[in-house]
Each structure stands twice: as structure tokens, then as C-alpha cells.
Amino acid sequence: KFFCPAPACQEATDSFPTPWALRRHFRDRHPRDFVDVGALGNLPKCQLCNMQADPQFQLAARHENSRFCREGRERIVQTNAAIANQRALEVGFTAYGEDLERVEVFKY
């Protein structure tokens, strides 16, 4: 069994049955971190999905054609869109030096 070593992780007490499952957890929950899973060591990250994958598997292009790599890429797109939306909400508008109220729907 493998456990998440991240101290603040809510799933740190959950065990993962395989090193691959722990690496997938890191792809989804700790995308900026690396995990060293025993004999496999600290594997490099896939440039497409951010999952630590066996270099031999990556070179054979099997990883990038896998469902998990596609899911990882989709997750990155969704995360980036959510960040862009949040930043857009932080923009304020003024008119004649007065802050304008933000409304969901503008009535003509």
C-alpha cells in the first residue's frame, strides 16, 4: 500500500493500491509536486498531462494516447479556464471616479 506524503492532503490517510494510483493522485491533487515511489524513483512528468510516467512508456507514445493522459490534459484545460474566470471577476470598472456595481444581467 502507498500513502500520500503531502502533510496537508485530505487523502493522506487513504492508501493507494499501486504506485501508479499514487502518481495519478499527485497528477490530480498535487500537480506542482513530485512523488518518489520506491523502486521506480522520481519519474519525469509528461509534458501533456503532468503525470509522472515511466520514460519508456512515454517514448513508446503509449502514455500520450492513453485515456489517463487525455483526462489529465482536459483537467489542465478546465483548471486554466477556472483561473481565467476568477481573474476576470477580480477586474473592477469605474466611471467618473466611481466604482461600478457588478451585476449578473444588464437590463436595457
Side-chain angles (χ1 to χ4, degrees):
K1 292 184 177 183
F2 300 87
F3 294 90
C4 179
C9 182
Q10 294 176 354
E11 298 172 35
T13 58
D14 295 343
S15 66
F16 298 92
T18 63
W20 181 88
L22 181 58
R23 291 195 322 267
R24 185 176 72 173
H25 166 76
F26 261 71
R27 179 199 73 184
D28 296 343
R29 301 287 186 229
H30 313 288
R32 293 186 181 104
D33 297 324
F34 284 83
V35 63
D36 187 336
V37 187
L40 296 173
N42 195 352
L43 297 173
K45 288 191 177 190
C46 169
Q47 297 297 312
L48 301 174
C49 72
N50 216 22
M51 182 170 174
Q52 288 177 262
D54 185 340
Q56 297 299 329
F57 198 59
Q58 288 185 47
L59 289 175
R62 292 187 318 218
H63 170 75
E64 66 186 43
N65 293 323
S66 71
R67 175 175 59 113
F68 298 103
C69 190
R70 284 192 304 274
E71 287 174 358
R73 290 190 301 259
E74 291 169 8
R75 190 177 197 89
I76 289 170
V77 168
Q78 291 172 356
T79 299
N80 290 341
I83 290 169
N85 288 342
Q86 182 59 39
R87 287 184 179 152
L89 290 174
E90 294 169 359
V91 174
F93 296 96
T94 60
Y96 304 106
E98 303 260 337
D99 288 333
L100 298 178
E101 178 183 350
R102 183 176 301 277
V103 295
E104 292 293 320
V105 178
F106 183 77
K107 296 179 184 177
Y108 289 93

